[in-house]
Amino acid sequence: MTAQSTIPAERVLDLLAELDRSKQLDTALLEQRRAYRQAAAVLAGIEDLSSLKPVEPASSKTPADRLLGDDLVPIKMKRLSGKVMLSADVRRQALSELISSDTLSAALEANPKERTGPVQVQFECYLTGNAKPIEQQTLSELEDTLQALVWLDGVPISHPSLDDVRRRLDYLRLLAPFESLAGDDVFRGRQSELDSLRSYVGVLPPASLLARLKGTALSWLQPPQQPALSVFGPGGVGKSALVARFMLEHTRLPEAVRIPFAYLDFERPTLDIGKPLTLCVEMIRQLQLQFPLSGGVDSLLEFANSRKVADANQVRAAHNVLADLLGIIEGRLGPRPYVVTLDTFEEVQYRGEASAFPLWDMLIELQKQRPFLRVVVSGRAPASSLRLADRPPNSLEIGSLDSSSAIAFLGAQGVEDPQLAARIVGQVGGVPLSLKLAASLVKRDGVDEKGVRNLAGRSSFWFSASNEMIQGQLFERILGHIHNPQVERLAHPGLAMRRITPEVILNVLNVPCSLAIETIEEAQSLFDELRNETALVMVHQDEDAEELVHRPDLRRIMLKLLVQKCPAQVREIHMRAVNWYAKRPGLRARAEELYHRLQLGESVDKSALGDRSVRFSIQASIEELPVASQLLLASYGLEVSAAILERASHEQKDATVAARIEELLPYGPTSVAEASRLAMPLLNQQNGSGIIYRAAARVALQQGETDEGLRLVEQGLSVTIPGNDTLETLNLLRDKAWAQRRSQEESSILGQLQEYALRHQMAAAIVQERAQSYEMTFGLPSSQPRGRDAEAAVFEISGLLAGLSSVEIWGLVPALGLVMQPLLTVIPTVLGSFCPKLAEDGGPFQLASFSDGSTQEALKMLVSAAMTASLNANMVVEFAQSFERLCSVWPYRVLSVQPPYGSRGSRGLAEAL
């Protein structure tokens, strides 16, 4: 047996004493950490952790960073002062301990130097019970309150609920743009315009409304229907400020006299006029913030946001949602006016106003049921296509401020001397943008006895009295205040580019702007400096990186200055941009390359604008382009100003109207009726062109007026054939042949169509002629074609189909329905080349969005079958049935109608460009 070792009793006592001292030390450290936690718990952030003092100083000298350790998190929010702060869970526990021990005051007094910043102020107000009611807090105070209450959530201290704070915060954020544009500190004048707006809506000035409320209970009476109101004027004149002021006035009134509104700003990429459910969601959200309506409104918002609705018929679902919303307003608030404001409507007009017609149809129908609906459309050009109450919109043109209002406006901008303000108004006029620019120069540069120094005013021989030229001079002066000469050159002429990135600075702008840089790091440094010039540029977040764009209210001015001052540099920038973007992949690069080619005056083919997103991108900048390029684009159907069109030839004007009519054809009866109104005046003029006769004929045929449509086709042919316009003759013959399908005249017409189609080698026209000829010769077989001639015809059509694009196939949908069954019976392998075109991303079959649910469902089933059939030959029968079903519900009586891109196409622009 091995002897066991023994430990002396003295050693045992020493070990026990050491263990006891260790426990005492651990307890002391825990107490010390608790004291530090409590000190940190009342601080929004800690700048100098090494100087942090605990609530109850102890003898231990262990530093705070070692004791707190993982309790701390780094501060990333700018509004929070300091470098670190206590984590939320630890903070709540420490605050609860302070409250239970009644030592909050001691904790606050422990570190007075760390009690800084706006969040700390609000946090302390709640800790000490001195916070203002949330209804009295400003937006910034409420944002700080929200952070403070997140920390206090679950802590036994009196404070409003987080939901109430968030709701109030959302409401103030809704009003923030209105306050910025038209708050008491900045808005002046416009009383007559406000009265016009009040008269249209059907409300009195706020003071009168309040007086009526004091006298007796206000009873809202059902008003009559009213047309829309079109508020229009040039950029910078104050349209949005006027509308914002009107709505802001009503947000300040008691609920009994306040009118509900929806403000939809189409400069926001999340709002798409062709995707009405997105508008519905925003309208419901805003109503919830304005009035404490619960129950039905919450359910309606949940329904509008549901996936089931998003996948269904957008227009019908949106109609139902808006109908329910208007019913809730009338039931809860009475028939008081409900004002829907569509602001920055030029963004819609740039992309083609035709996409708004599904929304117009809804508003027209809904106002008949709820006459209190009012619609205000605000943009640079009048909006004429919305016909509420069977009338075009009333017009309210916004011009310059009168002299006294302009002087008051300058006072709000910091020019407090009335005499100086009057001199400036005499120099620059009463446009708010000009006044704002002038005020910024006065603050920077001072003035002389005439007003803004070195400014050629309205009396100058060399300068036009136009507002644009005055604004241009002011803008040029602002450029002179950029301290870095490289950045100044980058801003002007470098901002001839629509988008600037460090790569563009290095590869495109380096030489023309004399930047003399060699590395991407140098380009990034200049990019960062230019980004700080917030008066000139804004930051846009691309998918991959940031980019700078010129402020839209100044870009038009800057580009005119560029062309006048340094045309050679501008041309070199455009040439280098073309070379740069031509080598880059993607739709964005294609749009930028096309933009710079047009700036150079190059003639681009219409097919270059075939992609919807590229077309939208060019339309958004069309006013920047040379006149010749604008006229070319107008002939392709893009929107240009009336002033530009006045310079166009008779044929160009007709081509522009015809293209606009084609844009209107896909969107239903109201849209087609608008197309008819566009065509009628031109039909009455002498020497009408073939293109306008064809456009009017297509409208009549689409409306079911076959005899009138064919009469117009014949009038068009009587112009194009003698004029040797063979292409337009071919187009007219295509419409005539389809309109007279299965008639006695079909055979002779198809002979003419064949001649012109072969002359132009237009594959789509040849396919149409072959499909109609097949039906006329062989009938509509449901099985194997009989005879060699029938099979030969099928093989010929199959070969032609291989060369068609997805857009051309779209235009032939009902014609291809005549031959689809025999085609797939004889040559099922044709699906290998045919189906991928139907399923291609960005193609018409993927992006089209019909308002009719049955057509949309048939289209969806066809695309699904195309994706399957192209991989599996056994699905040929299902594909044929899907194609036949789509043809049976096809809503167009003419061929080659553009796809109804209304919702998904314009959304693609917001995401891709």
Side-chain angles (χ1 to χ4, degrees):
M1 180 179 293
T2 305
Q4 296 183 354
S5 59
T6 59
I7 302 175
E10 294 82 357
R11 179 57 178 157
V12 172
L13 293 174
D14 290 341
L15 289 172
L16 291 173
E18 185 177 346
L19 181 61
D20 185 56
R21 285 194 299 273
S22 177
K23 289 181 178 180
Q24 291 178 6
L25 181 60
D26 288 345
T27 301
L29 287 174
L30 289 173
E31 286 298 314
Q32 185 75 357
R33 184 174 66 177
R34 184 178 65 83
Y36 274 123
R37 281 179 170 178
Q38 291 179 354
V42 298
L43 302 176
I46 305 168
E47 179 67 31
D48 184 5
L49 187 60
S50 64
S51 299
L52 183 69
K53 296 179 180 179
V55 175
E56 298 174 357
S59 57
S60 173
K61 295 183 179 180
T62 306
D65 58 344
R66 288 184 56 189
L67 286 172
L68 295 179
D70 295 338
D71 293 345
L72 299 173
V73 293
I75 288 178
K76 298 180 180 180
M77 295 173 54
K78 292 183 179 180
R79 295 185 65 83
L80 288 172
S81 57
K83 298 175 180 177
V84 295
M85 64 180 177
L86 208 59
S87 66
D89 291 339
V90 176
R91 186 193 293 271
R92 294 187 189 106
Q93 179 183 349
L95 287 172
S96 298
E97 293 171 356
L98 288 169
I99 292 169
S100 64
S101 61
D102 196 23
T103 52
L104 265 176
S105 298
L108 288 168
E109 293 169 0
N111 297 279
K113 292 183 179 180
E114 294 284 1
R115 293 162 58 188
T116 60
V119 177
Q120 180 71 32
V121 171
Q122 289 298 99
F123 189 33
E124 288 189 21
C125 285
Y126 283 100
L127 289 176
T128 59
N130 296 318
K132 293 187 295 186
I134 59 174
E135 292 77 15
Q136 298 177 15
Q137 294 186 29
T138 65
L139 176 60
S140 59
E141 288 174 336
L142 210 58
E143 288 174 337
D144 298 335
T145 288
L146 181 63
Q147 177 60 71
L149 296 192
V150 167
W151 294 332
L152 291 172
D153 189 30
V155 176
I157 195 170
S158 177
H159 60 76
S161 72
L162 282 170
D163 286 342
D164 288 344
V165 172
R166 290 191 178 104
R167 190 176 300 109
R168 177 67 181 172
L169 191 55
D170 286 340
Y171 180 62
L172 293 186
R173 285 171 178 163
L174 171 66
L175 302 186
F178 304 155
E179 291 285 359
S180 175
L181 282 171
D184 294 341
D185 293 338
V186 294
F187 190 84
R188 298 293 185 274
R190 301 292 192 203
Q191 290 309 306
S192 63
E193 291 92 339
L194 280 171
D195 286 340
S196 297
L197 194 51
R198 293 170 186 139
S199 176
Y200 163 72
V201 173
V203 294
L204 296 171
S208 300
L209 281 171
L210 288 173
R212 288 185 61 183
L213 185 63
K214 292 178 182 178
T216 181
L218 181 66
S219 177
W220 292 97
L221 301 177
Q222 185 72 262
Q225 282 184 253
Q226 287 279 11
L229 178 67
S230 175
V231 180
F232 65 95
V237 80
K239 303 178 295 295
S240 295
L242 173 69
V243 173
R245 183 65 182 185
F246 173 76
M247 292 184 290
L248 196 59
E249 287 179 343
H250 280 269
T251 65
R252 299 170 176 177
L253 296 176
E255 184 179 315
V257 292
R258 193 190 315 155
I259 61 169
F261 66 83
Y263 177 74
L264 306 174
D265 184 356
F266 288 103
E267 201 166 29
R268 290 173 53 188
T270 55
L271 295 182
D272 179 358
I273 201 165
K275 206 174 185 70
L277 272 178
T278 64
L279 309 184
C280 292
V281 169
E282 181 63 17
M283 292 164 73
I284 297 169
R285 186 186 73 84
Q286 291 185 17
L287 183 65
Q288 282 182 312
L289 295 174
Q290 296 168 58
F291 295 90
L293 304 176
S294 58
V297 179
D298 294 333
S299 302
L300 199 59
L301 183 60
E302 183 179 355
F303 173 78
N305 271 319
S306 69
R307 171 66 62 180
K308 181 178 180 181
V309 175
D311 292 339
N313 183 344
Q314 280 266 326
V315 175
R316 179 49 49 189
H319 177 278
N320 294 338
V321 168
L322 286 182
D324 287 351
L325 183 65
L326 290 172
I328 290 172
I329 290 172
E330 185 169 20
R332 307 283 184 85
L333 304 176
R336 65 183 75 181
Y338 176 51
V339 182
V340 177
T341 298
L342 312 178
D343 200 9
T344 326
F345 194 67
E346 63 266 21
E347 293 295 326
V348 176
Q349 292 170 323
Y350 285 155
R351 291 158 172 76
E353 201 168 326
S355 63
F357 273 91
L359 178 62
W360 291 174
D361 288 340
M362 279 192 293
L363 295 175
I364 291 167
E365 186 176 346
L366 290 168
Q367 196 198 50
K368 291 177 181 177
Q369 303 166 9
R370 312 286 182 184
F372 58 84
L373 175 64
R374 297 288 180 265
V375 181
V376 177
V377 185
S378 175
R380 291 189 178 181
S384 58
S385 60
L386 174 56
R387 300 179 67 86
L388 290 176
D390 293 324
R391 285 178 284 168
N394 297 334
S395 293
L396 177 58
E397 185 173 6
I398 308 301
S400 300
L401 292 169
D402 59 63
S403 180
S404 60
S405 297
I407 292 170
F409 183 88
L410 281 173
Q413 300 294 318
V415 182
E416 298 177 356
D417 183 347
Q419 293 181 338
L420 171 60
R423 291 199 297 272
I424 294 173
V425 171
Q427 272 189 299
V428 306
V431 174
L433 176 59
S434 301
L435 296 170
K436 194 177 297 184
L437 289 171
S440 68
L441 280 175
V442 168
K443 294 176 187 176
R444 288 184 177 189
D445 210 18
V447 293
D448 57 22
E449 68 279 359
K450 295 181 180 180
V452 181
R453 291 175 184 169
N454 304 319
L455 179 66
R458 290 177 175 265
S459 61
S460 170
F461 175 82
W462 295 106
F463 286 89
S464 162
S466 72
N467 290 309
E468 286 187 0
M469 291 306 301
I470 292 171
Q471 291 164 3
Q473 295 176 67
L474 294 168
F475 173 81
E476 191 175 24
R477 293 281 307 284
I478 291 174
L479 283 173
H481 288 274
I482 299 177
H483 298 296
N484 185 335
Q486 283 181 305
V487 177
E488 181 182 352
R489 292 192 296 272
L490 185 56
H492 193 84
L495 280 167
M497 302 292 293
R498 293 200 297 179
R499 296 176 173 86
I500 290 186
T501 64
E503 290 76 17
V504 166
I505 292 173
L506 180 62
N507 297 284
V508 178
L509 299 176
N510 191 9
V511 174
C513 297
S514 303
L515 301 179
I517 58 175
E518 297 180 356
T519 66
I520 192 65
E521 290 76 19
E522 291 176 297
Q524 181 69 54
S525 177
L526 289 177
F527 177 89
D528 293 338
E529 285 195 63
L530 180 60
R531 179 171 50 190
N532 294 330
E533 298 295 334
T534 55
L536 305 177
V537 297
M538 298 187 303
V539 179
H540 278 191
Q541 184 65 45
D542 186 17
E543 295 178 359
D544 302 319
E546 287 182 339
E547 60 184 16
L548 299 179
V549 298
H550 203 278
R551 294 187 65 88
D553 51 355
L554 296 176
R555 179 169 176 80
R556 184 165 44 91
I557 303 165
M558 180 273 295
L559 287 175
K560 290 185 177 182
L561 278 176
L562 279 180
V563 174
Q564 292 172 357
K565 290 190 61 178
C566 43
Q569 284 177 282
V570 172
R571 182 170 181 81
E572 185 178 3
I573 288 172
H574 290 316
M575 292 174 64
R576 288 177 177 270
V578 168
N579 292 332
W580 166 257
Y581 283 115
K583 301 172 185 176
R584 316 303 297 174
L587 290 176
R588 178 189 294 271
R590 191 189 312 172
E592 295 308 306
E593 177 192 352
L594 186 60
Y595 169 80
H596 290 286
R597 288 191 184 279
L598 289 165
Q599 283 285 16
L600 290 167
E602 296 183 14
S603 179
V604 300
D605 191 81
K606 186 176 182 180
S607 61
L609 296 157
D611 184 273
R612 192 73 170 180
S613 58
V614 173
R615 186 182 181 92
F616 285 171
S617 177
I618 298 302
Q619 178 70 76
S621 299
I622 198 167
E623 290 183 346
E624 301 173 4
L625 301 174
V627 171
S629 294
Q630 292 193 48
L631 294 178
L632 173 68
L633 294 173
S635 70
Y636 294 166
L638 278 73
E639 298 276 352
V640 300
S641 69
I644 294 295
L645 283 179
E646 286 177 0
R647 303 172 64 170
S649 68
H650 178 76
E651 291 78 14
Q652 285 173 317
K653 290 181 181 179
D654 285 358
T656 299
V657 175
R660 290 181 62 194
I661 287 172
E662 289 295 328
E663 290 276 349
L664 291 166
L665 280 182
Y667 294 97
T670 306
S671 182
V672 176
E674 175 68 11
S676 180
R677 280 192 289 272
L678 286 176
M680 286 306 105
L682 294 179
L683 294 177
N684 297 326
Q685 67 185 11
Q686 293 182 345
N687 303 320
S689 66
I691 192 172
I692 205 65
Y693 281 122
R694 179 182 179 239
R698 285 169 63 78
V699 171
L701 292 170
Q702 177 61 19
Q703 291 176 320
E705 299 169 3
T706 305
D707 291 341
E708 175 64 7
L710 289 173
R711 185 187 70 80
L712 291 168
V713 166
E714 292 300 332
Q715 281 190 271
L717 290 172
S718 71
V719 173
T720 60
I721 293 176
N724 201 31
D725 187 353
T726 56
L727 180 59
E728 201 55 43
T729 298
L730 171 57
N731 289 329
L732 284 161
L733 288 173
R734 292 189 67 187
D735 291 326
K736 182 178 180 180
W738 189 250
Q740 292 195 310
R741 192 173 78 261
R742 300 171 188 166
S743 71
Q744 293 181 349
E745 293 79 14
E746 184 178 18
S747 178
S748 61
I749 296 170
L750 289 177
Q752 294 174 323
L753 175 59
Q754 181 185 35
E755 175 189 351
Y756 278 86
L758 291 174
R759 186 184 301 182
H760 283 273
Q761 284 297 298
M762 184 184 289
I766 297 172
V767 169
Q768 176 192 341
E769 184 272 327
R770 293 292 190 265
Q772 286 191 239
S773 295
Y774 186 95
E775 180 197 33
M776 184 179 63
T777 306
F778 302 106
L780 294 173
S782 58
S783 59
Q784 179 78 21
R786 294 183 295 273
R788 293 182 179 178
D789 290 342
E791 286 195 4
V794 169
F795 273 96
E796 183 181 14
I797 293 172
S798 172
L800 291 166
L801 282 178
L804 295 182
S805 68
S806 60
V807 173
E808 290 170 321
I809 292 171
W810 173 275
L812 289 168
V813 164
L816 291 176
L818 305 179
V819 294
M820 188 55 65
Q821 279 199 3
L823 182 67
L824 296 180
T825 301
V826 177
I827 320 168
T829 55
V830 72
L831 293 180
S833 60
F834 186 74
C835 288
K837 296 176 182 178
L838 272 61
E840 71 182 17
D841 290 338
F845 291 86
Q846 285 277 12
L847 288 183
S849 182
F850 288 99
S851 59
D852 176 71
S854 59
T855 310
Q856 186 64 33
E857 181 62 23
L859 176 63
K860 183 178 179 181
M861 291 180 63
L862 176 65
V863 173
S864 177
M867 291 178 175
T868 307
S870 62
L871 300 175
N872 184 351
N874 295 327
M875 302 299 292
V876 169
V877 174
E878 180 181 337
F879 177 84
Q881 293 173 344
S882 298
F883 200 97
E884 185 176 71
R885 180 185 177 194
L886 180 61
C887 291
S888 69
V889 294
W890 197 249
Y892 309 124
R893 295 185 174 97
V894 289
L895 297 179
S896 302
V897 176
Q898 297 177 11
Y901 283 112
S903 59
R904 297 148 78 181
S906 52
R907 177 63 177 167
L909 170 69
E911 295 175 350
L913 294 173

